[in-house]
Amino acid sequence: MKNEAMKTAVDAFILERINNCGSRPNESLSDAIERLSVCADKLRNTLSAEQRILLTDCENAYSVTDGETMNCYYRAGFSDAVLFLLGWRDSEWN
């Protein structure tokens, strides 16, 4: 993005949206997260100390991947919305 002020504004907007959605969790997403946690705990209880370290590494990598995926899709959605609004003028697609 060439305009640094616009990039800063977009970053702030996306961070605000991510935080807003995080404060109002979706029930099915909450259920899936809970299920993942229960399964990981059950698995952890069957592992050796060395294997538990690997599981923790996997959980950490998944958390980063999940956050980056959310960030990516928010950016794509915001970009699509801007393109749509710029293309939709005078009650028709331009």
Side-chain angles (χ1 to χ4, degrees):
M1 199 175 286
K2 291 182 180 181
N3 186 329
E4 193 60 36
M6 174 67 96
K7 181 184 181 316
T8 301
V10 168
D11 288 344
F13 176 80
I14 290 170
L15 180 60
E16 181 181 327
R17 292 296 297 141
I18 289 171
N19 289 336
N20 286 343
C21 288
S23 67
R24 291 177 277 122
N26 171 296
E27 186 177 332
S28 60
L29 179 58
S30 294
D31 291 346
I33 292 169
E34 177 63 25
R35 179 76 180 132
L36 178 62
S37 178
V38 167
C39 289
D41 288 342
K42 286 180 180 179
L43 177 60
R44 185 175 285 102
N45 291 333
T46 68
L47 301 176
S48 69
E50 186 177 287
Q51 291 170 323
R52 282 192 291 273
I53 292 169
L54 291 173
L55 178 60
T56 298
D57 288 347
C58 287
E59 289 174 322
N60 291 341
Y62 175 78
S63 292
V64 171
T65 301
D66 188 43
E68 289 301 318
T69 299
M70 185 185 308
N71 188 358
C72 175
Y73 283 111
Y74 268 104
R75 287 184 181 285
F78 183 79
S79 177
D80 289 347
V82 169
L83 290 173
F84 177 80
L85 291 172
L86 291 175
W88 184 261
R89 290 177 302 233
D90 305 323
S91 298
E92 65 181 54
W93 183 254
N94 294 295

